[in-house]
Amino acid sequence: MNGRWIAGGLVLFSLIFGAALWWFQTRGHYEEVTGLTEITVNGVPVAVSDYRGLDAISSPLKLRGCFTTAALLTGPEAPDAEPLVAPSWFDCFDAETMSRDLDTGAATAILAEFNTPYGFDRMIAAYPDGRAYQWRQINACGTAAFDGDPLPAGCPAKE
């Protein structure tokens, strides 16, 4: 009889732990952001509408945003832009489709902000019809700094 209680307790603990782990990985650290009316692209405010996004204080990499704009988004092209996958419940951000569209030229990758916060760049995938998506990804400065390697040329010293 005692073995059943121990086994049952282990199963119950595993289920609770698994549910908590899933929640923290997919929902717990994300905050939904709505209602933004402008974003900054290379220091220039750009009016946006229908903004829906995610962000978190736990990591700069959690930023995702979907919006439309009538403005022509311009800036340095980002050939290394690779949209990061969003949680499955955040359905406006489809990283696979964006990656394919960036590869085929159906969308343009723009470097909207370099090294802010340190080691991360904010990227935008802009479509000709006004749809646009933003995310952050680690850059060469961040990769080197976080790995403890010497910084590549052009990287400011990490403060």
Side-chain angles (χ1 to χ4, degrees), residues 31-36 50-55 62-67 89-90 92 134:
E31 292 180 29
E32 287 197 66
V33 179
T34 58
L36 286 182
D50 304 321
Y51 188 90
R52 185 172 166 220
L54 295 176
D55 208 353
K62 295 199 184 269
L63 174 72
R64 306 288 188 284
C66 311
F67 55 94
W89 56 270
F90 189 67
C92 76
Q134 71 174 350

Side-chain angles (χ1 to χ4, degrees), residues 23 141 148:
W23 187 81
C141 301

Side-chain angles (χ1 to χ4, degrees), residues 52-120:
R52 185 172 166 220
L54 295 176
D55 208 353
I57 59 171
S58 62
S59 171
L61 292 176
K62 295 199 184 269
L63 174 72
R64 306 288 188 284
C66 311
F67 55 94
T68 56
T69 183
L72 177 63
L73 296 176
T74 59
E77 285 198 31
D80 59 341
E82 187 60 42
L84 303 176
V85 176
S88 60
W89 56 270
F90 189 67
D91 57 0
C92 76
F93 195 93
D94 185 350
E96 290 177 14
T97 300
M98 275 187 277
S99 290
R100 195 171 37 254
D101 290 348
L102 290 170
D103 289 342
T104 64
T108 304
I110 298 167
L111 176 61
E113 195 171 35
F114 173 72
N115 225 25
T116 305
Y118 187 88
F120 299 91

